[in-house]
Amino acid sequence: MRHIGHIGTMLFTPSELAITIGQRIRARRKAMGLTQADSAIRAGVSYRTWRRMEAEGKASIDDLVRAALVLRCEDALTSLFPPPAAASMDALLRDQRQARR
């Protein structure tokens, strides 16, 4: 299966998406004037883990969250999986009532 996800109009395989995220982590880190070693220490991950995250896009969810916190991108993570839209007006009203509780 070639086309799994997309950013904008570009389609990505899981591997391509992971590498793209790694490249963005590197760019953000550099823009903030941090070294890989400093970033790894601040995130509480090994230097090897940080390097692999940037180079290959390989990281656990915990490591990705730690990187997002160091790079001040945690807000973007909280919007990754929005709740599904209500299928009907009744469902929308029920969801709103539950949210108020």
Side-chain angles (χ1 to χ4, degrees):
M1 182 180 276
R2 170 81 173 105
H3 301 294
I4 300 291
H6 65 88
I7 295 178
T9 59
M10 295 178 66
L11 297 175
F12 293 91
T13 64
S15 179
E16 290 168 338
L17 184 56
I19 289 170
T20 298
I21 291 170
Q23 291 168 345
R24 289 182 178 190
I25 289 170
R26 177 183 298 120
R28 177 84 176 182
R29 172 186 59 75
K30 286 182 173 184
M32 293 177 70
L34 297 171
T35 66
Q36 286 180 324
D38 288 339
S39 299
I41 290 168
R42 291 178 185 206
V45 302
S46 72
Y47 174 66
R48 181 174 181 253
T49 295
W50 192 278
R51 277 192 355 235
R52 189 174 56 239
M53 190 171 12
E54 285 190 10
E56 303 169 29
K58 296 193 178 187
S60 70
I61 292 174
D62 186 59
D63 294 339
L64 181 63
V65 169
R66 290 171 177 270
L69 290 168
V70 167
L71 301 175
R72 299 185 200 126
C73 295
E74 64 274 11
D75 289 345
L77 289 180
T78 60
S79 63
L80 267 178
F81 302 101
S88 68
M89 184 57 82
D90 289 336
L92 176 62
L93 294 172
R94 182 183 65 243
D95 291 348
Q96 288 176 344
R97 282 192 300 271
Q98 287 177 347
R100 281 187 237 142
R101 292 181 193 162

Tab-separated table of all heavy atoms in Angstrom, residues 29-87:
chain	number	residue	atom	x	y	z
A	29	ARG	N	15.049	22.226	15.706
A	29	ARG	CA	16.144	22.258	16.676
A	29	ARG	C	17.206	23.266	16.252
A	29	ARG	O	17.656	24.095	17.053
A	29	ARG	CB	16.770	20.862	16.799
A	29	ARG	CG	18.037	20.860	17.649
A	29	ARG	CD	18.723	19.522	17.659
A	29	ARG	NE	19.134	19.008	16.367
A	29	ARG	CZ	20.184	19.434	15.658
A	29	ARG	NH1	20.947	20.424	16.100
A	29	ARG	NH2	20.482	18.882	14.482
A	30	LYS	N	17.591	23.211	14.981
A	30	LYS	CA	18.613	24.134	14.490
A	30	LYS	C	18.137	25.580	14.564
A	30	LYS	O	18.912	26.473	14.920
A	30	LYS	CB	19.002	23.772	13.056
A	30	LYS	CG	19.853	22.529	12.973
A	30	LYS	CD	20.253	22.247	11.534
A	30	LYS	CE	21.239	21.110	11.437
A	30	LYS	NZ	21.689	20.900	10.047
A	31	ALA	N	16.877	25.814	14.234
A	31	ALA	CA	16.327	27.175	14.293
A	31	ALA	C	16.342	27.709	15.726
A	31	ALA	O	16.455	28.918	15.933
A	31	ALA	CB	14.909	27.198	13.738
A	32	MET	N	16.246	26.804	16.690
A	32	MET	CA	16.277	27.213	18.096
A	32	MET	C	17.703	27.303	18.636
A	32	MET	O	17.919	27.652	19.792
A	32	MET	CB	15.454	26.238	18.942
A	32	MET	CG	13.969	26.305	18.634
A	32	MET	SD	13.005	25.094	19.565
A	32	MET	CE	13.122	25.785	21.223
A	33	GLY	N	18.696	26.989	17.789
A	33	GLY	CA	20.095	27.084	18.201
A	33	GLY	C	20.532	25.989	19.157
A	33	GLY	O	21.471	26.191	19.922
A	34	LEU	N	19.899	24.827	19.088
A	34	LEU	CA	20.246	23.723	19.977
A	34	LEU	C	21.070	22.679	19.225
A	34	LEU	O	20.860	22.456	18.041
A	34	LEU	CB	18.971	23.043	20.510
A	34	LEU	CG	18.037	23.893	21.364
A	34	LEU	CD1	16.737	23.159	21.608
A	34	LEU	CD2	18.727	24.241	22.675
A	35	THR	N	21.972	22.042	19.939
A	35	THR	CA	22.697	20.911	19.368
A	35	THR	C	21.878	19.644	19.610
A	35	THR	O	20.966	19.628	20.443
A	35	THR	CB	24.086	20.739	20.019
A	35	THR	OG1	23.888	20.376	21.394
A	35	THR	CG2	24.925	22.005	19.905
A	36	GLN	N	22.253	18.582	18.911
A	36	GLN	CA	21.589	17.305	19.157
A	36	GLN	C	21.834	16.858	20.594
A	36	GLN	O	20.915	16.370	21.254
A	36	GLN	CB	22.090	16.234	18.185
A	36	GLN	CG	21.571	16.403	16.784
A	36	GLN	CD	22.086	15.326	15.853
A	36	GLN	OE1	23.225	14.881	15.961
A	36	GLN	NE2	21.246	14.913	14.921
A	37	ALA	N	23.042	17.027	21.072
A	37	ALA	CA	23.379	16.607	22.438
A	37	ALA	C	22.566	17.385	23.470
A	37	ALA	O	22.016	16.788	24.409
A	37	ALA	CB	24.873	16.780	22.686
A	38	ASP	N	22.490	18.704	23.313
A	38	ASP	CA	21.698	19.520	24.239
A	38	ASP	C	20.222	19.116	24.205
A	38	ASP	O	19.578	19.016	25.246
A	38	ASP	CB	21.804	21.004	23.893
A	38	ASP	CG	23.158	21.604	24.217
A	38	ASP	OD1	23.889	21.032	25.055
A	38	ASP	OD2	23.490	22.643	23.615
A	39	SER	N	19.717	18.891	23.015
A	39	SER	CA	18.309	18.519	22.867
A	39	SER	C	18.029	17.182	23.536
A	39	SER	O	17.017	17.019	24.218
A	39	SER	CB	17.929	18.443	21.386
A	39	SER	OG	18.115	19.698	20.778
A	40	ALA	N	18.930	16.235	23.343
A	40	ALA	CA	18.765	14.916	23.952
A	40	ALA	C	18.754	15.015	25.475
A	40	ALA	O	17.900	14.406	26.139
A	40	ALA	CB	19.875	13.977	23.484
A	41	ILE	N	19.666	15.794	26.020
A	41	ILE	CA	19.729	15.968	27.481
A	41	ILE	C	18.442	16.602	27.989
A	41	ILE	O	17.840	16.136	28.959
A	41	ILE	CB	20.960	16.813	27.881
A	41	ILE	CG1	22.242	15.997	27.651
A	41	ILE	CG2	20.863	17.290	29.323
A	41	ILE	CD1	23.515	16.815	27.724
A	42	ARG	N	17.991	17.667	27.342
A	42	ARG	CA	16.768	18.351	27.765
A	42	ARG	C	15.547	17.436	27.672
A	42	ARG	O	14.628	17.537	28.480
A	42	ARG	CB	16.527	19.599	26.919
A	42	ARG	CG	17.516	20.694	27.175
A	42	ARG	CD	17.266	21.875	26.273
A	42	ARG	NE	18.288	22.887	26.431
A	42	ARG	CZ	18.115	24.165	26.177
A	42	ARG	NH1	16.960	24.604	25.724
A	42	ARG	NH2	19.096	25.021	26.347
A	43	ALA	N	15.542	16.561	26.666
A	43	ALA	CA	14.404	15.658	26.467
A	43	ALA	C	14.478	14.431	27.370
A	43	ALA	O	13.478	13.727	27.539
A	43	ALA	CB	14.342	15.220	25.005
A	44	GLY	N	15.655	14.164	27.928
A	44	GLY	CA	15.808	12.975	28.754
A	44	GLY	C	15.892	11.695	27.923
A	44	GLY	O	15.453	10.635	28.371
A	45	VAL	N	16.450	11.812	26.714
A	45	VAL	CA	16.664	10.643	25.861
A	45	VAL	C	18.149	10.548	25.546
A	45	VAL	O	18.886	11.517	25.718
A	45	VAL	CB	15.835	10.708	24.546
A	45	VAL	CG1	14.350	10.825	24.842
A	45	VAL	CG2	16.289	11.849	23.650
A	46	SER	N	18.576	9.396	25.086
A	46	SER	CA	19.993	9.257	24.752
A	46	SER	C	20.312	10.049	23.482
A	46	SER	O	19.430	10.296	22.647
A	46	SER	CB	20.346	7.781	24.550
A	46	SER	OG	19.794	7.292	23.340
A	47	TYR	N	21.574	10.399	23.361
A	47	TYR	CA	22.046	11.105	22.168
A	47	TYR	C	21.772	10.258	20.934
A	47	TYR	O	21.324	10.761	19.908
A	47	TYR	CB	23.540	11.401	22.324
A	47	TYR	CG	24.185	12.010	21.113
A	47	TYR	CD1	23.831	13.282	20.671
A	47	TYR	CD2	25.158	11.309	20.407
A	47	TYR	CE1	24.432	13.848	19.555
A	47	TYR	CE2	25.768	11.869	19.298
A	47	TYR	CZ	25.397	13.128	18.876
A	47	TYR	OH	25.996	13.686	17.779
A	48	ARG	N	22.003	8.955	21.028
A	48	ARG	CA	21.758	8.033	19.916
A	48	ARG	C	20.287	8.048	19.506
A	48	ARG	O	19.956	8.066	18.317
A	48	ARG	CB	22.188	6.621	20.323
A	48	ARG	CG	22.010	5.609	19.241
A	48	ARG	CD	22.600	4.253	19.683
A	48	ARG	NE	22.435	3.293	18.618
A	48	ARG	CZ	21.560	2.297	18.646
A	48	ARG	NH1	20.778	2.134	19.698
A	48	ARG	NH2	21.476	1.469	17.644
A	49	THR	N	19.395	8.069	20.480
A	49	THR	CA	17.952	8.111	20.193
A	49	THR	C	17.599	9.391	19.450
A	49	THR	O	16.854	9.369	18.466
A	49	THR	CB	17.134	8.000	21.494
A	49	THR	OG1	17.372	6.708	22.061
A	49	THR	CG2	15.655	8.199	21.255
A	50	TRP	N	18.133	10.520	19.919
A	50	TRP	CA	17.833	11.801	19.256
A	50	TRP	C	18.344	11.804	17.817
A	50	TRP	O	17.644	12.209	16.903
A	50	TRP	CB	18.430	12.978	20.024
A	50	TRP	CG	17.882	14.272	19.504
A	50	TRP	CD1	18.316	14.955	18.399
A	50	TRP	CD2	16.766	14.998	19.996
A	50	TRP	NE1	17.547	16.068	18.187
A	50	TRP	CE2	16.590	16.122	19.163
A	50	TRP	CE3	15.915	14.824	21.068
A	50	TRP	CZ2	15.592	17.058	19.377
A	50	TRP	CZ3	14.919	15.764	21.285
A	50	TRP	CH2	14.765	16.861	20.442
A	51	ARG	N	19.580	11.315	17.621
A	51	ARG	CA	20.144	11.252	16.264
A	51	ARG	C	19.284	10.387	15.349
A	51	ARG	O	19.021	10.759	14.210
A	51	ARG	CB	21.566	10.682	16.306
A	51	ARG	CG	22.619	11.681	16.647
A	51	ARG	CD	24.029	11.162	16.394
A	51	ARG	NE	24.081	9.771	15.993
A	51	ARG	CZ	24.792	8.821	16.609
A	51	ARG	NH1	25.507	9.120	17.650
A	51	ARG	NH2	24.792	7.586	16.173
A	52	ARG	N	18.845	9.233	15.859
A	52	ARG	CA	18.028	8.322	15.057
A	52	ARG	C	16.670	8.951	14.746
A	52	ARG	O	16.145	8.799	13.650
A	52	ARG	CB	17.859	6.990	15.796
A	52	ARG	CG	17.210	5.919	14.963
A	52	ARG	CD	17.168	4.562	15.645
A	52	ARG	NE	16.513	4.643	16.936
A	52	ARG	CZ	17.072	4.324	18.096
A	52	ARG	NH1	18.309	3.881	18.137
A	52	ARG	NH2	16.399	4.424	19.219
A	53	MET	N	16.117	9.693	15.705
A	53	MET	CA	14.830	10.368	15.486
A	53	MET	C	14.956	11.368	14.337
A	53	MET	O	14.088	11.419	13.462
A	53	MET	CB	14.398	11.078	16.781
A	53	MET	CG	13.017	11.602	16.768
A	53	MET	SD	12.387	12.232	18.370
A	53	MET	CE	13.782	12.359	19.432
A	54	GLU	N	16.005	12.130	14.321
A	54	GLU	CA	16.207	13.117	13.251
A	54	GLU	C	16.557	12.466	11.920
A	54	GLU	O	16.035	12.863	10.884
A	54	GLU	CB	17.323	14.099	13.640
A	54	GLU	CG	16.920	15.119	14.660
A	54	GLU	CD	17.967	16.207	14.839
A	54	GLU	OE1	18.928	16.287	14.035
A	54	GLU	OE2	17.826	16.991	15.791
A	55	ALA	N	17.436	11.492	11.934
A	55	ALA	CA	17.950	10.915	10.692
A	55	ALA	C	16.983	9.937	10.037
A	55	ALA	O	16.850	9.915	8.818
A	55	ALA	CB	19.283	10.219	10.957
A	56	GLU	N	16.307	9.132	10.860
A	56	GLU	CA	15.472	8.058	10.318
A	56	GLU	C	13.994	8.209	10.647
A	56	GLU	O	13.177	7.441	10.151
A	56	GLU	CB	15.963	6.711	10.852
A	56	GLU	CG	17.413	6.418	10.546
A	56	GLU	CD	17.931	5.213	11.301
A	56	GLU	OE1	17.120	4.308	11.604
A	56	GLU	OE2	19.129	5.178	11.602
A	57	GLY	N	13.685	9.160	11.533
A	57	GLY	CA	12.302	9.310	11.961
A	57	GLY	C	11.856	8.184	12.868
A	57	GLY	O	10.662	7.911	12.992
A	58	LYS	N	12.805	7.521	13.518
A	58	LYS	CA	12.472	6.387	14.382
A	58	LYS	C	12.508	6.831	15.833
A	58	LYS	O	13.535	7.279	16.329
A	58	LYS	CB	13.435	5.237	14.151
A	58	LYS	CG	13.301	4.699	12.748
A	58	LYS	CD	13.978	3.397	12.570
A	58	LYS	CE	13.722	2.966	11.131
A	58	LYS	NZ	14.152	1.681	10.821
A	59	ALA	N	11.350	6.694	16.479
A	59	ALA	CA	11.238	7.091	17.880
A	59	ALA	C	9.971	6.472	18.463
A	59	ALA	O	9.016	6.207	17.736
A	59	ALA	CB	11.172	8.607	18.010
A	60	SER	N	9.997	6.279	19.756
A	60	SER	CA	8.776	5.856	20.434
A	60	SER	C	7.857	7.071	20.560
A	60	SER	O	8.293	8.218	20.377
A	60	SER	CB	9.100	5.303	21.821
A	60	SER	OG	9.532	6.365	22.675
A	61	ILE	N	6.624	6.830	20.876
A	61	ILE	CA	5.703	7.959	21.098
A	61	ILE	C	6.217	8.810	22.249
A	61	ILE	O	6.185	10.045	22.175
A	61	ILE	CB	4.271	7.462	21.363
A	61	ILE	CG1	3.699	6.840	20.089
A	61	ILE	CG2	3.380	8.604	21.857
A	61	ILE	CD1	2.336	6.190	20.267
A	62	ASP	N	6.720	8.180	23.292
A	62	ASP	CA	7.260	8.919	24.435
A	62	ASP	C	8.417	9.821	24.003
A	62	ASP	O	8.490	10.989	24.390
A	62	ASP	CB	7.720	7.937	25.517
A	62	ASP	CG	8.149	8.646	26.781
A	62	ASP	OD1	7.313	9.376	27.371
A	62	ASP	OD2	9.320	8.491	27.182
A	63	ASP	N	9.319	9.298	23.168
A	63	ASP	CA	10.447	10.104	22.684
A	63	ASP	C	9.960	11.269	21.827
A	63	ASP	O	10.485	12.382	21.923
A	63	ASP	CB	11.420	9.252	21.869
A	63	ASP	CG	12.115	8.179	22.697
A	63	ASP	OD1	12.175	8.321	23.940
A	63	ASP	OD2	12.593	7.200	22.096
A	64	LEU	N	8.956	11.024	21.002
A	64	LEU	CA	8.401	12.093	20.164
A	64	LEU	C	7.775	13.189	21.028
A	64	LEU	O	7.971	14.378	20.775
A	64	LEU	CB	7.364	11.523	19.194
A	64	LEU	CG	6.716	12.531	18.250
A	64	LEU	CD1	7.751	13.164	17.325
A	64	LEU	CD2	5.624	11.862	17.441
A	65	VAL	N	7.056	12.795	22.062
A	65	VAL	CA	6.453	13.777	22.973
A	65	VAL	C	7.547	14.578	23.666
A	65	VAL	O	7.461	15.811	23.777
A	65	VAL	CB	5.532	13.085	23.996
A	65	VAL	CG1	5.120	14.036	25.117
A	65	VAL	CG2	4.306	12.504	23.292
A	66	ARG	N	8.593	13.901	24.110
A	66	ARG	CA	9.702	14.597	24.774
A	66	ARG	C	10.365	15.605	23.822
A	66	ARG	O	10.693	16.720	24.222
A	66	ARG	CB	10.731	13.596	25.281
A	66	ARG	CG	10.225	12.776	26.457
A	66	ARG	CD	11.191	11.638	26.792
A	66	ARG	NE	10.755	10.895	27.937
A	66	ARG	CZ	11.088	11.168	29.188
A	66	ARG	NH1	11.890	12.178	29.451
A	66	ARG	NH2	10.630	10.442	30.171
A	67	ALA	N	10.537	15.200	22.561
A	67	ALA	CA	11.119	16.115	21.571
A	67	ALA	C	10.198	17.304	21.348
A	67	ALA	O	10.653	18.453	21.262
A	67	ALA	CB	11.369	15.378	20.254
A	68	ALA	N	8.905	17.059	21.257
A	68	ALA	CA	7.947	18.147	21.055
A	68	ALA	C	7.996	19.147	22.208
A	68	ALA	O	7.910	20.360	21.980
A	68	ALA	CB	6.538	17.585	20.893
A	69	LEU	N	8.135	18.655	23.421
A	69	LEU	CA	8.218	19.558	24.578
A	69	LEU	C	9.481	20.413	24.521
A	69	LEU	O	9.426	21.625	24.725
A	69	LEU	CB	8.171	18.755	25.878
A	69	LEU	CG	6.826	18.119	26.204
A	69	LEU	CD1	6.963	17.114	27.337
A	69	LEU	CD2	5.798	19.187	26.554
A	70	VAL	N	10.617	19.790	24.209
A	70	VAL	CA	11.879	20.533	24.114
A	70	VAL	C	11.806	21.579	23.011
A	70	VAL	O	12.291	22.703	23.172
A	70	VAL	CB	13.067	19.570	23.867
A	70	VAL	CG1	14.318	20.320	23.458
A	70	VAL	CG2	13.320	18.724	25.100
A	71	LEU	N	11.166	21.222	21.914
A	71	LEU	CA	11.103	22.123	20.756
A	71	LEU	C	9.856	23.008	20.764
A	71	LEU	O	9.567	23.693	19.792
A	71	LEU	CB	11.166	21.289	19.465
A	71	LEU	CG	12.435	20.438	19.324
A	71	LEU	CD1	12.351	19.561	18.086
A	71	LEU	CD2	13.677	21.310	19.303
A	72	ARG	N	9.131	22.989	21.877
A	72	ARG	CA	7.940	23.819	22.089
A	72	ARG	C	6.875	23.603	21.009
A	72	ARG	O	6.317	24.556	20.460
A	72	ARG	CB	8.329	25.289	22.182
A	72	ARG	CG	9.268	25.570	23.334
A	72	ARG	CD	9.550	27.046	23.482
A	72	ARG	NE	10.767	27.222	24.250
A	72	ARG	CZ	11.795	27.939	23.842
A	72	ARG	NH1	11.758	28.574	22.701
A	72	ARG	NH2	12.867	28.047	24.583
A	73	CYS	N	6.609	22.333	20.726
A	73	CYS	CA	5.610	21.966	19.714
A	73	CYS	C	4.524	21.065	20.293
A	73	CYS	O	3.814	20.388	19.550
A	73	CYS	CB	6.281	21.244	18.553
A	73	CYS	SG	7.432	22.262	17.639
A	74	GLU	N	4.396	21.039	21.608
A	74	GLU	CA	3.439	20.121	22.222
A	74	GLU	C	1.995	20.393	21.821
A	74	GLU	O	1.177	19.471	21.749
A	74	GLU	CB	3.585	20.089	23.751
A	74	GLU	CG	3.281	21.389	24.458
A	74	GLU	CD	4.463	22.356	24.541
A	74	GLU	OE1	5.501	22.150	23.885
A	74	GLU	OE2	4.324	23.353	25.271
A	75	ASP	N	1.658	21.645	21.522
A	75	ASP	CA	0.287	21.960	21.101
A	75	ASP	C	-0.081	21.224	19.816
A	75	ASP	O	-1.226	20.803	19.647
A	75	ASP	CB	0.103	23.462	20.898
A	75	ASP	CG	0.104	24.236	22.211
A	75	ASP	OD1	-0.032	23.600	23.280
A	75	ASP	OD2	0.245	25.461	22.159
A	76	ALA	N	0.885	21.064	18.933
A	76	ALA	CA	0.620	20.364	17.673
A	76	ALA	C	0.285	18.891	17.927
A	76	ALA	O	-0.534	18.306	17.219
A	76	ALA	CB	1.810	20.480	16.737
A	77	LEU	N	0.894	18.299	18.945
A	77	LEU	CA	0.612	16.893	19.245
A	77	LEU	C	-0.809	16.688	19.754
A	77	LEU	O	-1.437	15.682	19.442
A	77	LEU	CB	1.598	16.351	20.278
A	77	LEU	CG	3.024	16.144	19.808
A	77	LEU	CD1	3.874	15.599	20.955
A	77	LEU	CD2	3.079	15.209	18.622
A	78	THR	N	-1.311	17.638	20.523
A	78	THR	CA	-2.653	17.466	21.088
A	78	THR	C	-3.742	17.546	20.025
A	78	THR	O	-4.858	17.102	20.263
A	78	THR	CB	-2.940	18.513	22.192
A	78	THR	OG1	-2.855	19.821	21.629
A	78	THR	CG2	-1.969	18.370	23.347
A	79	SER	N	-3.410	18.071	18.857
A	79	SER	CA	-4.419	18.158	17.800
A	79	SER	C	-4.273	17.053	16.744
A	79	SER	O	-4.978	17.053	15.737
A	79	SER	CB	-4.354	19.526	17.123
A	79	SER	OG	-3.114	19.697	16.492
A	80	LEU	N	-3.382	16.092	16.991
A	80	LEU	CA	-3.137	15.036	16.011
A	80	LEU	C	-4.367	14.181	15.695
A	80	LEU	O	-4.608	13.845	14.558
A	80	LEU	CB	-2.034	14.103	16.518
A	80	LEU	CG	-0.633	14.427	16.089
A	80	LEU	CD1	0.347	13.438	16.711
A	80	LEU	CD2	-0.474	14.447	14.598
A	81	PHE	N	-5.111	13.812	16.697
A	81	PHE	CA	-6.236	12.906	16.498
A	81	PHE	C	-7.514	13.532	17.049
A	81	PHE	O	-7.971	13.179	18.130
A	81	PHE	CB	-5.975	11.561	17.173
A	81	PHE	CG	-4.730	10.894	16.672
A	81	PHE	CD1	-3.555	10.927	17.403
A	81	PHE	CD2	-4.729	10.262	15.442
A	81	PHE	CE1	-2.400	10.329	16.932
A	81	PHE	CE2	-3.572	9.658	14.961
A	81	PHE	CZ	-2.408	9.687	15.705
A	82	PRO	N	-8.116	14.453	16.296
A	82	PRO	CA	-9.329	15.123	16.780
A	82	PRO	C	-10.478	14.134	16.877
A	82	PRO	O	-10.506	13.122	16.167
A	82	PRO	CB	-9.595	16.184	15.711
A	82	PRO	CG	-8.926	15.676	14.484
A	82	PRO	CD	-7.748	14.870	14.954
A	83	PRO	N	-11.421	14.416	17.769
A	83	PRO	CA	-12.577	13.527	17.874
A	83	PRO	C	-13.361	13.537	16.561
A	83	PRO	O	-13.375	14.542	15.852
A	83	PRO	CB	-13.408	14.120	19.017
A	83	PRO	CG	-12.832	15.450	19.297
A	83	PRO	CD	-11.478	15.535	18.684
A	84	PRO	N	-13.996	12.415	16.242
A	84	PRO	CA	-14.762	12.368	14.992
A	84	PRO	C	-15.958	13.308	15.052
A	84	PRO	O	-16.497	13.593	16.120
A	84	PRO	CB	-15.211	10.910	14.887
A	84	PRO	CG	-15.136	10.389	16.281
A	84	PRO	CD	-14.068	11.174	16.980
A	85	ALA	N	-16.361	13.784	13.886
A	85	ALA	CA	-17.539	14.648	13.805
A	85	ALA	C	-18.780	13.830	14.133
A	85	ALA	O	-18.837	12.625	13.862
A	85	ALA	CB	-17.653	15.231	12.397
A	86	ALA	N	-19.759	14.485	14.718
A	86	ALA	CA	-21.019	13.812	15.053
A	86	ALA	C	-21.713	13.366	13.771
A	86	ALA	O	-21.735	14.077	12.769
A	86	ALA	CB	-21.916	14.754	15.848
A	87	ALA	N	-22.299	12.171	13.832
A	87	ALA	CA	-22.964	11.604	12.653
A	87	ALA	C	-24.380	12.137	12.472
A	87	ALA	O	-24.956	12.019	11.401
A	87	ALA	CB	-22.983	10.082	12.757
